[in-house]
Amino acid sequence: KSNGYCRALYDRLVEKGKNKKAALIAVCNKLLKLVFGVVKNKTFYHENFVVKIA
């Protein structure tokens, strides 16, 4: 509820017609990937992180 990115993802999926429970599971999977990435790279979570591609 408090993470703006997750809320926007959930709202976007529901708006496209995805079942609410399926949209919630998609957000959970996205959060799991994010957590594993943070743990794997031993970094802190930055809400406004931007990848710079050269």
Side-chain angles (χ1 to χ4, degrees):
K1 292 180 181 182
S2 63
N3 188 328
Y5 175 75
C6 291
R7 186 67 185 177
L9 175 63
Y10 176 81
D11 291 338
R12 186 173 68 239
L13 291 173
V14 171
E15 187 176 299
K16 285 184 177 181
K18 195 164 205 111
N19 185 347
K20 289 184 179 183
K21 195 167 203 170
L24 183 63
I25 297 299
V27 172
C28 290
N29 286 335
K30 183 71 83 168
L31 282 173
L32 278 174
K33 289 178 185 178
L34 189 137
V35 168
F36 280 114
V38 167
V39 171
K40 179 181 173 186
N41 294 320
K42 298 178 183 172
T43 60
F44 291 105
Y45 172 70
H46 300 287
E47 188 171 343
N48 298 321
F49 182 77
V50 177
V51 177
K52 295 181 181 177
I53 301 175

